[in-house]
Amino acid sequence: MNIPIHRFDAIIVGAGLAGLAAARELESHGKHVAVISKLHPLRSHSGAAQGGINAALKDKDSIDSHMFDTIKGSDYLADQDAVKLMCEGAPETIRWVEGMGVVFSREKNGDIAQRPFGGQSFPRACYAKDRTGLTLLQTIFEQADRDGVEYWDEWYVADIIQEDKNVYGVVAYNLKTLEPAIFNAKAVMLATGGYARAYKINSNAHANTGDGLSIYARHGLPLKDMEFVQFHPTGLAGTGILISEAARGEGGRLFNSEGERFMEKYAPEKMELAPRDLVSRAITKEILEGRGIGPNKDAVYLDLTHLGKDKILSRLPELRDLAITFLGLDMIQEPIMIAATAHYSMGGIPVDNEGRAKLNQEHRIHGLYAAGECACVSVHGANRLGANSLLEAIFFGRHVGQTIASDLNDKDFLIHKKPDMKDADRMLNEINNILTSSGDEKVPVLRAELQESMTKNAGVFRTEESLLKQRRKLKNLRERFKNIRIDDKSKIYNTDLQEALELGHMLDYSLFIIEGAIARKESRGAHFRDDYPKRDDKNFLKHTYATMNENGEINMEYKDVQLGIFEPQERTY
Ligand SMILES: Cc1cc2nc3c(=O)[nH]c(=O)nc-3n(C[C@H](O)[C@H](O)[C@H](O)COP(=O)(O)OP(=O)(O)OC[C@H]3O[C@@H](n4cnc5c(N)ncnc54)[C@H](O)[C@@H]3O)c2cc1C
């Protein structure tokens, strides 16, 4: 089969904020860039971000304070040099996007308005009402488009082309026609977003199936800190659709069935504005101990009525609409019902501070880069603070764009190799196997079982028993996956095929979450073990680097955390 080969200087997989920021930067350095995305860029999950983006802008705030909050919030697992780089770059990142035309909400005196967010000692989240992500995404997309970035949207990337420690392209197919293509370049950047879709109750877009992570791991390359999945405290009851932390930032209060403002017990100082891991555990504990509300007693109240109509309409209009649409509750008049929801992926592809993918602490993989939620640099450690992820995506997206531009200028650094038709075999075989398989298992059934069991066994609270159960469940699901059948065999917009490929990815990276969580016999940030409720710096102030072999077995190594600025302390709020 003759497959078209497209050549670029650099290929970026993913058109969210990280991918677009990198693309714009590369284009401004005169490089020929293609952005490949399974969605139209403006449908990337970045566009769903509501609450804000952090930067220490005010005189009374400081970069040091932003760094400290981020590192303490991470439960000291963040690499402190990476945090420093990001926090120092935050004010300039805001100026960069503002210069492109992003319209932030403003104070009366014209300053950019900033709202408080959990775990922050100063109101430092810049925002555009509660549509911050969409405003950012639209602006950067338009500018990158105008500058000449080439978009290949509705193309599904199914593999990277790797030989030894070098990557020189990706293999993809057109979602509209099933036409395959090879994309050849000296530099490939993965910006494929997060993986919380492995959970039943989650806040993520349908596309957040962690494809980039499994594609990478299937080459025997390591994933870092995958056991750290963030559960956001306020998902709408039943669905998990996000009610941004902006709601608590603006003054929202949490109550249980007894009318108790229960955060008093868990974080007397910060109350509702404690970090997400802490608030999610508090809410879940209230529910488990029988003080939940609603028909199934599996939610608590988030009350915003005291803010008044004007504030809600001017600051939180989207959130109000979401609660009316999905719960039939108007937050101006009554409290709404919320519970914790899987939200964000702290783990991912290990990269150095310049975004170069790492094989281990010492060696990198030439030609491969990552940024945004799919990468683990790591600035969030064991728990991300609200409004730090948009910052990470844009700051590191742009920064990695600069790295690639300079690496492309260095003739000795990147290897150019002409791809071979055989490079597409892996993808073509995978697609062919799914299209021709005549088993009796159905993708939606397996996916539902995966999501339900992950929420139940590897959620806010975990134990050895629940995690071992989930390991067995995954083994069973992975066996059954070999026996699937899809009904649609056509070539036109075959969503059955895409969903099968995505489920394959979810089953692969979920293994990393579970094995990492079993091995980490401590509680740190978002990873809470009922059977090991304390943080254990002596044994686990370390990053997990895990690899998968051909039999689907996970091997784990641990690497030191980059400390040096703030010494680990007990984390109280
Ligand atoms: C509801 C919600 C609200 C949020 N609010 C905030 C907030 O207020 N502040 C904050 O800091 N953070 C927030 N976050 C987190 C933040 O939005 C994300 O972490 C960040 O936007 C991720 O950007 P990204 O560029 O890494 O990925 P994404 O924006 O998720 O983009 C991923 C891209 O990868 C592409 N892709 C994936 N797989 C493939 C494949 N196989 N082939 C081709 N393309 C592929 C997709 O098409 C997409 O274009 C929120 C997240 C959610 C879910």
Side-chain angles (χ1 to χ4, degrees), residues 14 23 254 274 301 331 365 412 419 422 435 452:
L254 295 167
Y301 285 123
M331 58 172 69
I365 303 149
D412 300 327
K422 283 211 280 302
L435 287 174
E452 265 161 41

Side-chain angles (χ1 to χ4, degrees), residues 246-523:
R248 281 172 296 131
E250 296 293 349
R253 297 169 184 164
L254 295 167
F255 293 96
N256 62 18
S257 61
E258 290 164 18
E260 200 185 350
R261 198 168 160 200
F262 55 86
M263 282 313 296
E264 278 166 4
K265 292 184 291 197
Y266 301 95
E269 237 175 79
K270 290 265 182 195
M271 298 289 287
E272 282 83 1
L273 282 178
R276 292 180 177 172
D277 55 337
L278 228 141
V279 184
S280 289
R281 278 197 291 278
I283 291 171
T284 310
K285 196 149 184 255
E286 291 299 306
I287 293 170
L288 289 174
E289 290 178 0
R291 293 182 292 279
I293 52 132
N296 304 322
K297 307 241 173 297
D298 58 358
V300 297
Y301 285 123
L302 171 65
D303 185 11
L304 296 144
T305 51
H306 57 286
L307 299 184
K309 189 174 172 187
D310 289 350
K311 199 164 186 184
I312 291 177
L313 290 182
S314 67
R315 302 272 179 92
L316 308 170
E318 293 280 322
L319 301 190
R320 174 176 176 247
D321 278 357
L322 282 174
I324 292 175
T325 308
F326 291 97
L327 289 180
L329 296 174
D330 184 349
M331 58 172 69
I332 293 177
Q333 283 151 15
E334 61 208 315
I336 61 169
M337 298 192 294
I338 57 91
T341 181
H343 179 60
Y344 182 81
S345 321
M346 266 81 68
I349 297 167
V351 292
D352 67 14
N353 288 352
E354 312 312 314
R356 298 182 181 118
K358 283 168 40 169
L359 202 52
N360 49 40
Q361 212 120 342
E362 298 80 38
H363 298 104
R364 60 174 179 248
I365 303 149
H366 283 253
L368 193 64
Y369 304 77
E373 196 169 335
C374 73
C376 183
V377 51
S378 108
V379 284
H380 310 301
N383 173 63
R384 165 173 84 84
L385 290 191
N388 261 354
S389 168
L390 290 180
L391 172 62
E392 182 201 12
I394 301 177
F395 172 77
F396 278 104
R398 186 182 176 205
H399 185 64
V400 178
Q402 289 160 353
T403 307
I404 298 175
S406 96
D407 286 354
L408 283 169
N409 290 339
D410 179 351
K411 289 198 177 40
D412 300 327
F413 184 74
L414 294 174
I415 296 160
H416 202 72
K417 186 170 182 292
K418 255 179 95 177
D420 196 292
M421 289 299 136
K422 283 211 280 302
D423 292 327
D425 281 357
R426 201 163 155 142
M427 176 183 88
L428 296 176
N429 289 340
E430 196 184 356
I431 290 177
N432 192 44
N433 285 345
I434 294 172
L435 287 174
T436 55
S437 167
S438 58
D440 49 15
E441 295 286 355
K442 292 286 185 191
V443 170
V445 174
L446 297 187
R447 187 177 55 218
E449 285 186 34
L450 169 73
Q451 292 172 322
E452 265 161 41
S453 58
M454 287 294 284
T455 292
K456 200 160 157 225
N457 298 325
V460 176
F461 293 107
R462 303 156 174 198
T463 62
E464 182 96 8
E465 196 191 338
S466 74
L467 292 166
L468 291 177
K469 198 164 162 194
Q470 190 58 13
R471 179 196 265 168
R472 290 192 294 275
K473 182 72 192 174
L474 279 178
K475 201 165 170 228
N476 165 277
L477 289 171
R478 288 163 65 81
E479 272 311 305
R480 287 163 60 198
F481 182 68
K482 292 179 190 156
N483 206 19
I484 51 166
R485 189 187 70 239
I486 60 170
D487 294 328
D488 186 356
K489 310 279 185 193
S490 77
K491 292 194 164 178
I492 309 300
Y493 272 121
N494 191 335
T495 50
D496 279 11
L497 170 67
Q498 184 184 344
E499 287 181 17
L501 290 168
E502 289 173 340
L503 176 62
H505 292 308
M506 290 156 88
L507 289 169
D508 277 0
Y509 70 73
S510 293
L511 260 187
F512 285 79
I513 301 176
I514 298 307
E515 294 299 336
I518 292 172
R520 191 172 278 277
K521 298 188 188 320
E522 65 156 355
S523 290

Side-chain angles (χ1 to χ4, degrees), residues 12-21 35-54 115 117 125-127 130-133 136-137 152-159 171-173 175 189-196 202-205 207-213 215 230 232 240-246 276 322 342-345 371-375 380 384-394 397 498 501-502 505:
I12 295 170
V13 186
L17 283 169
L20 294 185
V35 175
I36 310 177
S37 167
K38 63 181 177 179
L39 301 170
H40 184 274
L42 294 180
R43 298 196 61 205
S44 302
H45 190 61
S46 291
Q50 302 159 344
I53 169 166
N54 285 327
R115 57 168 53 122
F117 252 64
C126 311
Y127 58 95
D130 52 1
R131 301 180 190 121
T132 314
L136 289 163
L137 192 66
W152 291 69
D153 47 270
E154 302 204 326
W155 277 78
Y156 188 94
V157 172
D159 202 4
V171 187
Y173 76 91
L175 285 166
M189 171 176 160
L190 296 175
T192 50
Y195 54 81
N202 74 74
S203 69
N204 280 197
N208 286 17
T209 48
D211 308 352
L213 293 116
I215 287 173
Q230 175 162 82
H232 192 294
I241 292 170
L242 194 75
I243 291 295
S244 166
E245 195 164 309
R276 292 180 177 172
L322 282 174
H343 179 60
Y344 182 81
S345 321
E373 196 169 335
C374 73
H380 310 301
R384 165 173 84 84
L385 290 191
N388 261 354
S389 168
L390 290 180
L391 172 62
E392 182 201 12
I394 301 177
Q498 184 184 344
L501 290 168
E502 289 173 340
H505 292 308

Side-chain angles (χ1 to χ4, degrees), residues 213-214 217-218 220-227 471 474 478 505-519 544-558:
L213 293 116
S214 309
R218 285 174 188 173
L221 300 170
L223 295 178
K224 181 176 168 191
D225 291 344
M226 289 292 286
E227 59 271 32
R471 179 196 265 168
L474 279 178
R478 288 163 65 81
H505 292 308
M506 290 156 88
L507 289 169
D508 277 0
Y509 70 73
S510 293
L511 260 187
F512 285 79
I513 301 176
I514 298 307
E515 294 299 336
I518 292 172
T544 310
Y545 276 63
T547 46
M548 184 173 66
N549 68 17
E550 276 164 12
N551 304 322
E553 288 150 357
I554 305 278
N555 183 35
M556 222 105 55
E557 284 178 38
Y558 292 94

